[in-house]
Amino acid sequence: MSLEWLVAWSWSLDGLRDCIATGIQSVRDCDTTAVVTVACLLVLFVWYCYHVGREQPRPYAAVNTLMQGPDAGGLQNGFAYCQSPECVRCSHSDGLNQKLYHNLQEYAKHYSWAGMGRIHKGVREQGRYLSSRPSIQKPEVFFLPDLPTTPYFARDAQKHDVELLERNFQTILCEFETLYKAFSNCSLPQGWKMNSTPSGEWITFYLVNQGVCVPRNCRKCPRTYRLLGSLRTCIGNNVFGNACISVLSPGTVITEHYGPTNIRIRCHLGSAEDGPRVVFMVDLWHPNVAAAERQALDFIFAPGR
């Protein structure tokens, strides 16, 4: 048994010696400059990964401090906050920047840092983006840098989903009309939400509210809810995703305000009939948010995280 072991060990050493000799000869045959360049790039890559993983957000003011400053008084950018603890837009917890960075690091640990450049930059600079950006874009919760902006996006931005919604307009309208009949029996039927406005009346019926399905409401609009599952770019897995029916009574005024983020575009499907302005609103991904970024943002801003 000992003799066999010694023979095997001797063979292993011979094989290892041959492998090392082959490797040395391969390096000699290569261009020394190329080898040095590759080695330097490898070192830089390892340093970058370490630096990104260890870096903490810059110590800007907490988001809740920025949003509840002296010009607030319950209003910010013309928006009346609901003060609900479940509302990502209205409940601003201390240390949000640190929380976002922790979520980003958790995502990278499970998946990869690849493609996370803009998100990392956005999280790191979030305090500055939210407080002092001289821009028409002033999201109140999260700003993703370097996204192109325009007052309105062309239909082609999310052509498949826009056309699918338009083809199913009559289906959505029929389910809304059934819902609206309940208003003859009481002032505000179950499932509807009254929104604060300077004048008039604005009510909404959510199927998806901040990334969370509203089961009772979805059961009342089953075909419309199933339609959401057929949309390719519908935001349904993070707190910035909503789908609802919006009804504005004639003469209602909604004060100008900013949305919570620039990673989404809001699609309005409505009709030109007189009377209350009825619109089916769906949040879709901004067309310039890459697939890897969408996956990471779903993780970072998952409901309840």
Side-chain angles (χ1 to χ4, degrees):
M1 180 64 69
S2 299
L3 182 60
E4 293 177 356
W5 182 84
L6 287 173
V7 171
W9 184 63
S10 176
W11 181 87
S12 299
L13 288 178
D14 290 340
L16 180 61
R17 185 170 56 251
D18 292 342
C19 181
I20 293 174
T22 302
I24 294 174
Q25 186 59 43
S26 297
V27 172
R28 289 175 177 173
D29 292 341
C30 290
D31 184 351
T32 304
T33 303
V35 173
V36 172
T37 301
V38 171
C40 290
L41 290 174
L42 181 60
V43 171
L44 287 174
F45 176 73
V46 172
W47 174 86
Y48 173 77
C49 291
Y50 173 80
H51 178 72
V52 168
R54 295 282 296 176
E55 187 179 9
Q56 296 297 318
R58 297 185 182 180
Y60 291 109
V63 175
N64 66 318
T65 304
L66 299 174
M67 295 192 174
Q68 297 180 11
D71 63 333
L75 291 174
Q76 175 75 13
N77 296 329
F79 180 80
Y81 289 105
C82 67
Q83 306 302 326
S84 168
E86 292 82 20
C87 182
V88 67
R89 186 176 189 173
C90 302
S91 61
H92 313 301
S93 60
D94 291 321
L96 178 60
N97 291 359
Q98 294 289 337
K99 182 179 179 181
L100 293 182
Y101 204 88
H102 171 75
N103 290 347
L104 175 59
Q105 288 181 313
E106 282 294 307
Y107 173 83
K109 184 190 303 181
H110 288 87
Y111 300 97
S112 171
W113 280 104
M116 296 298 103
R118 285 198 301 192
I119 295 180
H120 178 252
K121 178 181 177 182
V123 170
R124 189 182 64 223
E125 305 278 355
Q126 204 58 209
R128 180 170 64 85
Y129 288 139
L130 296 180
S131 63
S132 59
R133 293 192 67 255
S135 168
I136 61 172
Q137 278 194 327
K138 295 182 180 179
E140 297 172 328
V141 178
F142 179 74
F143 176 80
L144 185 63
D146 305 322
L147 279 184
T149 177
T150 178
Y152 297 96
F153 282 83
R155 293 167 50 85
D156 289 344
Q158 301 294 11
K159 184 177 180 181
H160 172 272
D161 289 353
V162 170
E163 292 181 348
L164 185 60
L165 287 167
E166 289 178 339
R167 287 198 302 270
N168 287 273
F169 171 79
Q170 199 60 43
T171 296
I172 300 171
L173 180 62
C174 288
E175 292 192 330
F176 161 73
E177 290 175 339
T178 301
L179 285 175
Y180 208 59
K181 290 177 182 177
F183 278 85
S184 60
N185 300 323
C186 62
S187 57
L188 190 66
Q190 189 176 44
W192 289 88
K193 174 189 174 185
M194 182 72 69
N195 300 281
S196 61
T197 57
S199 63
E201 185 176 87
W202 177 25
I203 58 175
T204 46
F205 187 86
Y206 280 89
L207 302 183
V208 177
N209 186 14
Q210 296 189 0
V212 178
C213 167
V214 184
R216 185 188 299 271
N217 290 359
C218 291
R219 285 194 292 268
K220 294 179 180 179
C221 301
R223 290 179 294 175
T224 302
Y225 178 65
R226 284 196 296 269
L227 175 63
L228 294 176
S230 300
L231 302 178
R232 295 175 180 173
T233 62
C234 178
I235 300 178
N237 297 315
N238 70 57
V239 296
F240 298 125
N242 302 275
C244 70
I245 297 172
S246 169
V247 180
L248 286 176
S249 62
T252 298
V253 174
I254 300 177
T255 308
E256 294 179 352
H257 58 276
Y258 297 100
T261 183
N262 65 331
I263 67 171
R264 73 185 189 190
I265 55 177
R266 176 155 287 182
C267 180
H268 285 196
L269 178 68
S271 62
E273 297 181 3
D274 295 331
R277 181 176 182 268
V278 182
V279 174
F280 183 57
M281 301 193 302
V282 185
D283 290 327
L284 307 177
W285 283 103
H286 188 295
N288 293 92
V289 178
E293 292 175 320
R294 296 179 186 183
Q295 178 178 310
L297 291 168
D298 278 345
F299 182 93
I300 295 169
F301 290 101
R305 180 174 289 279

